[in-house]
Amino acid sequence: MMVEIDRSKEVVKKSLNISVDSSDPEYVKFEFNPDEVELIRDYCDLAWKLNQAKIFDEHAIKQSTLEISNESGIKVAGDPIDDDAWAAVFHMLRPLILVNKTNEPSNFNAICSILGKRTNSQCIHAKLGIFGKQFRGEFAAMQPYIHDGARRLSGSDLFDKWVYAYEYHRVRDKQAFFDRIGLPNSQATMQYIIYLHIIEKLKAIMQLFEFLISIFGECIAPKDFGGWAEESNFQNG
């Protein structure tokens, strides 16, 4: 399906029938400028590449299990995650999760913001709110809260500290935090907790990806995107 472009106004017009939960479908119109469409297309390329990452192959972590209990606390049993797969997934995550409009203009939050600014639809804003909660790990079945002395930290808090301590930066006070909490087999345990949170971010990233495809059609889809195995939750027009 081709995107409709109004050359005189330099806008891209799209429409969508959408409902949230059991609400009646709402017909929503959007207008995007060409730069926004390019950012959205870049996001879709980045999201699809991330979705294909080796680390999400069930065989990559099949030997690892995480146990959380009041008696024994948090511990991981099994093989460590492959170093190359770990480095690769953080490389692919970077442009999607770092909130920097100059260097990472197609990050998840920036694309949600573009959609939110282009409509007053309550359905769209509710859907974006759901994506945001998923991205922050609020729907995770397992919430490994850890206390830092002042408050309990969620998976999202731990993830943010981790990337500044070890992945994108080497901030010493962030590293010292992980030394202080003293988990059993600390490095492997924290790595697996971070991995579980990455899974939650991937879910949100791909939910937004599917939503964008439903709005624009396959004209913004990556070249190797073959469509969905199941019918989409959205209808485009």
Side-chain angles (χ1 to χ4, degrees):
M1 181 182 63
M2 297 298 293
V3 174
E4 177 187 352
I5 299 178
D6 185 334
R7 297 294 182 184
S8 63
K9 297 181 180 179
E10 292 191 344
V11 297
V12 176
K13 298 180 179 180
K14 294 302 298 176
S15 59
L16 178 74
N17 286 317
I18 183 173
S19 62
V20 176
D21 297 326
S22 59
S23 62
D24 292 333
E26 179 181 348
Y27 184 71
V28 181
K29 292 184 177 181
F30 298 92
E31 290 188 359
F32 301 95
N33 66 52
D35 290 339
E36 290 171 334
V37 176
E38 286 305 310
L39 292 176
I40 289 168
R41 183 179 283 112
D42 288 345
Y43 172 89
C44 289
D45 286 340
L46 293 166
W48 189 246
K49 289 177 182 176
L50 175 66
N51 191 56
Q52 312 304 309
K54 176 185 175 182
I55 201 170
F56 302 123
D57 184 330
E58 62 179 353
H59 300 294
I61 53 135
K62 66 179 179 179
Q63 301 298 323
S64 297
T65 59
L66 177 70
E67 297 179 3
I68 301 177
S69 68
N70 292 330
E71 294 76 21
S72 59
I74 303 174
K75 61 181 181 180
V76 166
D79 298 335
I81 298 173
D82 178 78
D83 287 343
D84 290 340
W86 186 254
V89 77
F90 272 97
H91 176 73
M92 288 184 278
L93 271 170
R94 183 178 184 118
L96 291 164
I97 65 173
L98 292 187
V99 182
N100 186 322
K101 291 184 178 180
T102 301
N103 296 327
E104 314 293 355
S106 291
N107 69 74
F108 175 88
N109 288 316
I111 300 303
C112 286
S113 178
I114 289 172
L115 290 174
K117 290 176 181 178
R118 289 304 181 180
T119 179
N120 293 321
S121 164
Q122 292 184 356
C123 277
I124 297 296
H125 284 273
K127 183 66 69 175
L128 294 175
I130 292 170
F131 295 162
K133 288 182 178 180
Q134 181 76 66
F135 189 76
R136 294 187 296 273
E138 295 181 25
F139 299 143
M142 188 176 290
Q143 294 283 358
Y145 289 106
I146 293 173
H147 207 278
D148 70 350
R151 63 189 180 97
R152 290 197 310 177
L153 301 176
S154 67
S156 182
D157 294 326
L158 291 168
F159 178 87
D160 290 343
K161 285 180 177 293
W162 181 270
V163 297
Y164 276 95
Y166 298 111
E167 305 302 337
Y168 303 141
H169 304 279
R170 306 291 292 184
V171 180
R172 291 189 177 276
D173 66 330
K174 305 295 184 187
Q175 295 176 0
F177 163 79
F178 289 104
D179 292 337
R180 288 196 308 271
I181 60 178
L183 294 175
N185 194 15
S186 182
Q187 187 78 7
T189 299
M190 281 308 311
Q191 188 182 55
Y192 196 66
I193 291 171
I194 298 304
Y195 171 80
L196 293 178
H197 188 71
I198 290 173
I199 293 292
E200 297 304 307
K201 289 198 180 301
L202 175 67
K203 291 176 183 177
I205 287 166
M206 292 310 296
Q207 286 166 0
L208 179 57
F209 172 91
E210 179 180 356
F211 190 39
L212 294 168
I213 296 295
S214 73
I215 295 172
F216 288 89
E218 294 191 4
C219 63
I220 64 163
K223 292 181 179 179
D224 59 343
F225 174 68
W228 301 108
E230 298 178 0
E231 185 176 351
S232 171
N233 294 323
F234 313 104
Q235 297 177 9
N236 60 345

